[in-house]
Amino acid sequence: MSQEKSGSPLLRSEDWWAVWLGLLIFILALGKLTGADLLGWVVKTNLWIDFSKALSPVSKHLAETGFSGFTSLILTYIFLLVLTTIGAAAMRFNVGRFIVGFSIIFWLAYGCLIIGHWGPVAAPTVAEAQKIGMTKLGLRLTGEAGFIIALLVGLIIGNFCRGFAQFLEEATRPEWFVKTAIVILGATIGIKACDALGLAGQVLARGLCAIVEAYLLYWPVVYFVARRYFKFTPEWAAPLASGISICGVSAAIATGAAIRSRPVVPIIVSSLVVIFAVVELIILPFLAQTFLYTEPMVAGAWMGLAVKTDGAAVASGAITAALIQAKAASALHVNWDKDFITMAAVTTKIFIDIFIGVWAFVLAVIWCYWIECKPGERVGAGEIWNRFPKFVIGYFLTFLVMLLVGLGHLQDQEFMKTAKAAMGESDSLRGIFFTLTFFTIGLMSNFRKLWEEGMGRLAAVYVLCLFGFIIWVGLFISWIFFHGVMPPQIAG
């Protein structure tokens, strides 16, 4: 599926339409800061045992006034259908087939998201389980399980119902969905970064180690291993290195756009990222509880450096914090504030996320001047611009706006609370776009073709690099920067 159409690139490119949709959602979310709650009706998916409580409007005020979750879901579907159909028409898709395809994809994917929030599957901590009436924990996968279920259902359709998958092809746009989500993500990270800047300076400085660790150590090693020992082309090695070493799906998509790889490349890498992130989410918090309960901030930072998707990294940080708090209370007779442990994970992850766009630009320049430059051919600045992933502009814009807004009101706790709530509303839509992404990744993933493309070798590189050195190097660097830093103790 070509991303560039004839005519103005501002209206014919999935990249630019990701910017337009992401910015529109961001601007609507900002309305809450002026007292106009323009996205409060958006649906929120909750942890649930009682299905009637699975959905609610994201606005607590609307929920308290009796606005039903199902109504929110219908309005969210209509809203996204209208926005994406406008984009599809501008990009000259077959609008009729897109509307039908998007509608089917939306309802199937959202069904997967609801299942993924079922308590026995998703509840990550005892406290969260008790809130919904559970007496014991289940799989502890958090709501991210919905992404995995969406991927699996998409894979089943894509491999065993090929005719149906082809019928949905016009609306199967994982790159468009994920790029839109990344633009929205910038705002969420921007407001979180304000909190990080307001924390103790030593924790903030230590969080910066993530930049050096992820970009200057992980990336070249993974790229070298993929090229030298597994004989992958640069087209495959670069997104794989970004996906494993930096920020998972977002980094793989941004890298693929920067080097102009075929769409199938970041899609396959993204599917591996999600699968392995869930494996890490299940294993690493318990390793941290067993071996790092005397170094809680090291454990939190390790989650941020080792787990390769935003949601899974933050979730693993929260799980680790709860587990270590419980272990320290019984073994050391101290009650640490678990939010500071989670903060270590979030801070390191934020600094990694911030530089996705920078890295995409660096790779675009490298590919233009060295990797694909023909002998005697000069590559102009225009070609670098053509290759630059435009959605990254939206990502940086939303990030910077919320960072500056937050820094200007950092001491106003009520304003910051409202700003976080506003970005939480847009973040609910980001979660839906991510779900659509994973579902459509599955639809496009024909295992027979994937195996021919070398998915088995990709998985081998992933296992070797992730479990062979990335996790352990991340632990080592976390130890260097956070060893001896303790969270405050709380009473009780």
Side-chain angles (χ1 to χ4, degrees):
M1 283 175 264
S2 174
Q3 292 186 21
E4 302 292 340
K5 310 286 183 180
S6 60
S8 171
L10 296 177
L11 297 176
R12 299 287 183 261
S13 160
E14 283 187 1
D15 248 12
W16 279 115
W17 271 102
V19 174
W20 307 142
L21 296 191
L23 287 181
L24 175 60
I25 290 169
F26 171 62
I27 291 169
L28 291 176
L30 288 178
K32 193 173 182 70
L33 300 181
T34 66
D37 194 358
L38 302 179
L39 289 180
W41 47 266
V42 168
V43 68
K44 176 186 177 185
T45 316
N46 306 308
L47 290 177
W48 62 277
I49 288 291
D50 180 353
F51 183 74
S52 66
K53 298 180 180 179
L55 305 176
S56 67
V58 70
S59 166
K60 291 182 179 180
H61 174 71
L62 284 180
E64 291 170 354
T65 59
F67 199 91
S68 77
F70 184 71
T71 301
S72 292
L73 180 57
I74 293 294
L75 292 176
T76 302
Y77 157 69
I78 294 172
F79 176 70
L80 293 180
L81 177 64
V82 170
L83 289 187
T84 54
T85 299
I86 293 172
M91 290 184 283
R92 299 179 182 174
F93 298 169
N94 184 317
V95 174
R97 289 180 64 88
F98 179 86
I99 291 174
V100 174
F102 181 85
S103 298
I104 294 172
I105 288 171
F106 177 90
W107 289 107
L108 289 176
Y110 201 86
C112 295
L113 189 62
I114 293 175
I115 295 172
H117 279 75
W118 184 45
V121 172
T125 64
V126 173
E128 291 293 327
Q130 290 175 343
K131 284 181 182 179
I132 59 174
M134 292 173 56
T135 57
K136 60 180 180 179
L137 290 173
L139 297 179
R140 303 184 182 187
L141 297 182
T142 78
E144 296 250 331
F147 298 158
I148 303 303
I149 295 170
L151 176 64
L152 292 175
V153 173
L155 285 171
I156 291 170
I157 296 173
N159 286 274
F160 299 103
C161 307
R162 289 301 307 159
F164 186 40
Q166 290 171 358
F167 175 74
L168 300 176
E169 186 175 29
E170 194 68 12
T172 303
R173 306 281 172 171
E175 289 185 88
W176 187 18
F177 298 145
V178 78
K179 290 172 182 177
T180 303
I182 292 172
V183 174
I184 301 171
L185 174 64
T188 303
I189 294 173
I191 199 65
K192 286 182 179 179
C194 294
D195 279 343
L197 291 173
L199 296 169
Q202 59 172 339
V203 174
L204 185 63
R206 285 164 171 77
L208 288 171
C209 75
I211 299 171
V212 176
E213 176 265 349
Y215 292 88
L216 301 184
L217 292 178
Y218 285 174
W219 200 95
V221 173
V222 177
Y223 184 84
F224 174 79
V225 169
R227 293 278 289 132
R228 177 70 178 271
Y229 297 107
F230 290 85
K231 309 303 180 185
F232 280 106
T233 64
E235 179 194 32
W236 282 99
L240 183 61
S242 293
I244 297 176
S245 63
I246 302 174
C247 186
V249 174
S250 301
I253 294 291
T255 299
I259 69 172
R260 289 198 170 177
S261 67
R262 290 167 295 159
V264 70
V265 175
I267 286 172
I268 296 175
V269 172
S270 297
S271 64
L272 288 173
V273 167
V274 175
I275 292 169
F276 281 103
V278 172
V279 174
E280 291 180 282
L281 178 61
I282 295 171
I283 295 174
L284 294 189
F286 294 96
L287 287 177
Q289 181 194 38
T290 302
F291 299 106
L292 294 173
Y293 68 93
T294 61
E295 291 289 347
M297 298 298 280
V298 172
W302 186 32
M303 296 304 108
L305 295 178
V307 182
K308 297 306 171 187
T309 72
D310 293 304
V314 174
S316 64
I319 294 171
T320 298
L323 292 174
I324 285 183
Q325 184 188 48
K327 180 69 176 284
S330 62
L332 304 176
H333 306 293
V334 297
N335 189 19
W336 281 319
D337 188 336
K338 66 178 184 296
D339 288 341
F340 275 74
I341 305 173
T342 304
M343 176 271 294
V346 172
T347 300
T348 52
K349 199 72 178 74
I350 284 172
F351 284 116
I352 292 174
D353 289 345
I354 287 171
F355 281 84
I356 293 174
V358 174
W359 196 247
F361 179 75
V362 169
L363 291 178
V365 174
I366 291 173
W367 249 250
C368 280
Y369 280 96
W370 288 283
I371 302 297
E372 293 183 354
C373 184
K374 298 177 182 178
E377 181 180 69
R378 294 181 61 84
V379 179
E383 180 61 18
I384 295 175
W385 170 249
N386 289 336
R387 286 173 175 267
F388 183 75
K390 311 304 187 298
F391 70 95
V392 172
I393 297 172
Y395 170 86
F396 274 126
L397 185 59
T398 57
F399 168 79
L400 289 173
V401 168
M402 286 314 299
L403 179 64
L404 295 174
V405 168
L407 291 178
H409 298 82
L410 200 55
Q411 304 306 317
D412 187 342
Q413 294 185 1
E414 191 62 33
F415 180 91
M416 292 298 291
K417 181 179 179 181
T418 302
K420 290 175 183 177
M423 295 308 102
E425 293 181 353
S426 64
D427 214 43
S428 291
L429 290 171
R430 178 177 72 91
I432 295 174
F433 275 113
F434 268 128
T435 307
L436 295 174
T437 298
F438 289 114
F439 185 83
T440 51
I441 283 173
L443 288 180
M444 292 186 66
S445 301
N446 185 322
F447 273 133
R448 181 178 299 176
K449 290 185 178 181
L450 295 182
W451 194 260
E452 292 172 357
E453 291 279 0
M455 189 171 186
R457 289 189 298 137
L458 284 171
V461 175
Y462 210 114
V463 170
L464 174 64
C465 293
L466 183 64
F467 295 102
F469 72 91
I470 285 179
I471 287 177
W472 313 118
V473 171
L475 175 58
F476 176 68
I477 292 180
S478 298
W479 184 275
I480 290 175
F481 284 88
F482 286 89
H483 173 59
V485 179
M486 297 296 168
Q489 295 186 36
I490 55 178

